[in-house]
Structure formats: structure tokens, C-alpha cells
Amino acid sequence: MSPLRDMLPLAVSLFDGLAKLGHDGVGITRDSYGVGETAAIEYLAGQAAEYGLKTSQDGAGNMMIDLPDYTAGPAIWIGSHLDSVPQGGNYDGAAGVIAGLLCLVALRQSNQAPPRPVRVAALRGEESAWYGKAYMGSSALFGKLDEHDLALRRRNGSGSLADALAALGADLDNIRAGKPLVDIGDIAAYLELHIEQGPVMMARNLPTAVVTGIRGNIRHGNIVCLGEAGHSGAVPRWLRHDTVFAMAELISRLDEHWRILLERGLDLVITSGIVGTPPEEHAISRIPGRVAFSFEVRSQSNDTLEAFYHLMRTEAETIGRSRGVRFEFDRRIYSAPARMDDAIVRRLLDISARQGLPVETLPSGAGHDAAIFANAGIPSGMIFVRNANGSHNPQEAMELADFIAGAGLLYDAVSTKA
């Protein structure tokens, strides 16, 4: 029987501690490179110390948790993130860090030397909600943050990502130079446990599953459609330059293309999650001369991403000409799709069979830090744990028994030889 089964009380205590720190009155808010995320890191550092584990922070503020005898060298990393979206849930990201922490506690208590060194990474800034870019901590780790990224402003405009990193004492010189903050040869593999953020596992009654790949995405955080404001009763349709109708036509056309491409078997999702006319000027009786909105397309195929993005830009040009408006695009942000390592997927499935868990695989529609590790050439794998009510909302509802089962898969993967 996995020693992780004895860790249920500790898991409950750790999740409760994080929830108390991050509760905002509605849900959980742990802001990337902000007060909430830092409080979570400090809390888990204190908990790790109570169990005789070592903690440290790298040049991007990511926290590493290690056994007392850890020395640098090829190690299996277990990681995930501690930040959340505003008014989110308590398990998104944090479940993976806590699962790794439980594995280290179990290894220390068993006095067992794992086949390879194991370390846990609590990664910063995975959520794009705060600066418009995802995977900030893991990207910095591999030298993948550029000046455009560092100039991104916090959602409330209070400062840039570079300002936030500087406040932590991060290694901004090397980050700006694009230098990795870790020797990639010191990472033998990367494993991540995460809640599923969709409804598939609930519908199929799967407590755990093994992830095969992660969708990439192309995003614009702020597309502005510019037209001409006017009186709603005085300007006929043929003389209007109505930005809301232009935006609505663009979204409608993209939805129809999406439907057709799904019928052809392509993997694709599109979203426009932010829409608004300027509140200082909009009115019921005013034809809007300006509207801003976001755009995101996700797919496991890079070719599909690029093709749909080109289609979106073409449709925007066509609609702009026909309606007498123009679309202005902010910086395009791209995150590459990633495949999990076939050998790790097979090993996790074999362990699942031995432990009486489902031998099932799923793709991940949501993005995860594992994509950054995989695309850096590091063999990577992910375990999903069933979670009710979706994610990025306060109603996340992971059962702790499912979590312990998933953490048990991790423990077996790092404590036994392949």
C-alpha cells in the first residue's frame, strides 16, 4: 500500500492553510508575483521545514523543495504553480505542489533513497490573468522571457513584470539576456499533477488519468475596433461605422469556421473572454465608435493554430472594409503545443494498473508548466485528478481521496525503478 494514503491528514491541513491565506471573500486569489503568491510560497516553505526539508529560491523566485541530502545532478522534478486567477479555486496548481511535498515527506520518513534525486518546484506566474502571459516562472527558468514580456503591465496597471521580478531580487540581468537559470542537464524528467479543468473525468467516472499532450495557444489580450460614434436614431445602417456590430460579425464568422473545422476532426477551441466599450462614453443611444476585446485560439496542432489565426486576421480585414472600421491588434502572444513523453506515459499507465486505477489517457485543453519543460527537451509527464465544477472559479471540488490516489502515482514513479 502506498505510504501516501497515510498523508491524507497532512494534505487536508496544507490545503486548508492555503485556503485561509488566499480567500478573498468570494474565492481564492493568489496573484502572480504578488502578495498572494508570495504568502503561499512562504507558508509551504515553513511547512516543508517542519518536516526537515530544505527550501530555496531560484533567480526567478520559483521555490525549490529538497530532501536534506539533495545535491545538484540529474533529478526528477515534481512541479506545478501556486498562483491562481482572481476569485479562483484552491486546487488549480496548488494540488501539484502539495502532491510533490507529500512525496518528499514520505521519502524522508521511509529513509528510502529514491533511484534518482527528487526535487519539488513551486513555480511562479503560471496564470496569464495577471500580466497577460502564462508560464512566467518556468519560462524565466529556461531563458524564455524577452523584453516584451518583461514590459507587460499588471492587470491593474500598477507596474511591469520586470518591476515585480526586481522586487523579489530576481536575476534580471540573466533573464533579460535570455540565459537559463538552471542547467537543463540537471533535470532528468518533469512530472506534474493537476486537477482536470474540464468535465470529462467526472462524466467518465475517472479518479485519475494520464495526460498525453497539452494544447498551445495564440492570444491577443487587447484588440481594438475603431469606427465612428454617432446618434443611435440619426444615422442609417448604410452610413454607420458601428464597432460592436463589426466585432460581433467577426466573432460570429469565427464561430462558424470553428464548427466546420470541428466537423473535419480538427482539435480547436476559440474564446473571446474580454469585451467592452469605454465606460466613460458608452450609452444606450450612442453608436459605439470603439470596442475592445480579447482573442484566443487553442489547439494541439501548431498548423491548426497558425491557419486559424491567419483566417481570423483575414476576416477582420474583410469586415473592416465592408463596415468602414479598422481592427488594431496588440502584441501576439504564442505558447507552443507540447507532447508528453511516450515512455513516461506508458510508465504512469503501468503504475495505474498496478494500483487499481483507470488505465486511461486524456489530452489537456488547458495549459500547464509541463509544456515549457517538454518543449525544452525534458521528458515530461502529467497526471490529472478528477475535479467537479470546472476550474478558474471558486467551486473547484477535487475529492481528497482522488488527490491521494494521484499523488500515489507520483510517489511510485519517483520511488521505484522504471
Side-chain angles (χ1 to χ4, degrees):
M1 186 175 71
S2 169
L4 270 292
R5 295 184 184 276
D6 297 330
M7 297 285 173
L8 182 58
L10 176 56
V12 171
S13 174
L14 293 173
F15 281 120
D16 285 350
L18 285 180
K20 290 174 183 175
L21 281 173
H23 192 252
D24 55 26
V26 176
I28 299 296
T29 297
R30 295 191 279 262
D31 48 332
S32 305
Y33 287 105
V35 173
E37 185 186 61
T38 297
I41 285 176
E42 291 175 349
Y43 169 72
L44 288 185
Q47 294 297 304
E50 289 190 13
Y51 287 89
L53 303 174
K54 300 189 302 183
T55 61
S56 59
Q57 292 197 26
D58 67 14
N62 302 307
M63 179 175 69
M64 304 298 158
I65 310 174
D66 298 304
L67 292 167
D69 58 354
Y70 173 80
T71 56
I76 297 176
W77 285 32
I78 299 172
S80 196
H81 61 99
L82 284 176
D83 58 332
S84 77
V85 299
Q87 297 185 355
N90 196 37
Y91 302 120
D92 177 3
V97 179
I98 289 177
L101 178 55
L102 297 185
C103 287
L104 290 184
V105 171
L107 286 169
R108 178 159 169 73
Q109 291 181 346
S110 70
N111 293 315
Q112 177 182 353
R116 281 189 180 272
V118 180
R119 75 182 328 197
V120 173
L123 299 163
R124 286 206 181 242
E126 191 267 356
E127 299 289 0
S128 62
W130 300 97
Y131 289 92
K133 179 177 175 62
Y135 316 138
M136 292 174 280
S138 53
S139 293
L141 197 64
F142 295 107
K144 298 297 184 182
L145 285 184
D146 60 27
E147 285 292 349
H148 296 292
D149 299 325
L150 293 170
L152 289 169
R153 307 292 295 181
R154 189 173 169 86
R155 62 185 283 129
N156 63 3
S158 62
S160 68
L161 177 56
D163 295 334
L165 285 162
L168 290 174
D171 187 356
L172 268 176
D173 289 341
N174 280 328
I175 291 172
R176 282 200 165 97
K179 294 181 179 179
L181 305 177
V182 63
D183 183 343
I184 294 176
D186 285 344
I187 310 176
Y190 176 82
L191 301 175
E192 182 167 358
L193 178 146
H194 206 282
I195 56 171
E196 190 207 6
Q197 294 172 277
V200 175
M201 293 174 69
M202 290 298 297
R204 295 178 59 193
N205 194 28
L206 302 176
T208 62
V210 177
V211 177
T212 53
I214 299 171
R215 281 179 176 143
N217 63 71
I218 298 175
R219 290 171 166 169
H220 283 283
N222 189 53
I223 303 171
V224 180
C225 183
L226 297 169
E228 187 176 292
H231 192 291
S232 64
V235 184
R237 186 181 188 279
W238 64 282
L239 290 175
R240 290 192 180 206
H241 305 281
D242 190 318
T243 59
V244 166
F245 272 78
M247 179 206 67
E249 183 178 354
L250 175 61
I251 298 301
S252 180
R253 288 194 190 187
L254 294 179
D255 186 37
E256 180 61 14
H257 289 305
W258 183 17
R259 183 188 65 79
I260 293 169
L261 292 172
L262 289 179
E263 290 176 353
R264 296 177 181 173
L266 273 69
D267 177 68
L268 185 70
V269 290
I270 63 170
T271 306
S272 184
I274 302 172
V275 177
T277 52
E280 66 274 10
E281 65 181 40
H282 63 203
I284 294 174
S285 60
R286 180 188 178 101
I287 300 166
R290 179 186 180 98
V291 65
F293 60 103
S294 65
F295 168 82
E296 177 195 78
V297 55
R298 295 191 187 218
S299 177
Q300 294 183 76
S301 163
N302 188 66
D303 290 344
T304 300
L305 282 177
E306 294 292 351
F308 196 86
Y309 179 77
H310 177 73
L311 179 61
M312 182 273 291
R313 295 296 296 251
T314 300
E315 290 285 27
E317 290 179 12
T318 301
I319 293 167
R321 287 193 298 269
S322 68
R323 288 189 174 271
V325 301
R326 73 179 189 276
F327 291 89
E328 294 185 348
F329 293 81
D330 68 350
R331 178 187 172 217
R332 167 182 141 144
I333 297 179
Y334 169 75
S335 296
R339 283 202 59 79
M340 298 297 96
D341 182 77
D342 288 340
I344 291 178
V345 169
R346 289 193 299 270
R347 176 157 165 72
L348 291 174
L349 290 173
D350 289 344
I351 295 170
S352 297
R354 290 201 303 270
Q355 295 190 2
L357 292 168
V359 183
E360 297 282 352
T361 60
L362 284 179
S364 175
H368 304 285
D369 289 298
I372 299 297
F373 284 80
N375 287 328
I378 294 165
S380 300
M382 284 196 72
I383 297 163
F384 268 172
V385 174
R386 174 171 53 188
N387 165 61
N389 306 324
S391 184
H392 285 192
N393 67 66
Q395 283 76 48
E396 287 176 357
M398 177 187 71
E399 294 290 337
L400 269 295
D402 294 343
F403 167 74
I404 290 295
L409 292 178
L410 273 183
Y411 181 79
D412 205 336
V414 301
S415 64
T416 61
K417 290 185 178 180

